Each structure stands twice: as C-alpha cells, then as structure tokens.
Amino acid sequence: MAATPPATAAAPPPAGGAHSVFVYGSLMADEVVSAILKRIPVSSPALLANHHRFNVKDRIYPAILPVESKKVAGKVC
C-alpha cells in the first residue's frame, strides 16, 4: 500500500462558513481535542511549509514562526 503524502495547510476555507484549522503538538492527540471540543473532528495529516516549531522559554507549549525551507508536521481539521 503506497503512502499518501501529507496535505499542505494552505487551502482556503470551504464555502458555507466552515474553516480548516492547522493544529500541531498536543492538539494532534484525539484525547486532547476530545477534552476541549467534546468531539473529535475529521482531520488529515498536514505539513505547514516555511515555518519552524520552537520552544517558548518558561512555557510548556511551543510556537510556530515563519522560517524559509522548514516544515512543521501537524493536522488539518
């Protein structure tokens, strides 16, 4: 079975008011999303091009900043 390449998180939101959201880090875990949203939305693997994930000093969460030629793995919900 061939692997499907991850989607790129650059598509515009679909018509009808729905939006696509790129998530990374702990928000990729269904358990975390379920605790926040009380549901698990449909999602697909994605790469955010030209960005890099950094640790934030004195914080437990990361941040993403634009960095050319880097990619951040995540999901699009």
Side-chain angles (χ1 to χ4, degrees), residues 49-77:
N50 296 316
H51 285 75
H52 186 68
R53 182 177 157 172
F54 294 92
N55 292 327
V56 178
K57 185 178 179 181
D58 299 325
R59 299 288 184 243
I60 60 171
Y61 51 82
I64 292 178
L65 293 173
V67 175
E68 197 162 328
S69 301
K70 296 286 186 173
K71 295 177 186 172
V72 176
K75 295 194 314 188
V76 172
C77 302

Side-chain angles (χ1 to χ4, degrees), residues 4-31:
T4 303
T8 302
H19 297 278
S20 296
V21 177
F22 178 80
V23 298
Y24 64 101
S26 61
L27 291 175
M28 292 175 63
D30 287 344
E31 300 81 18

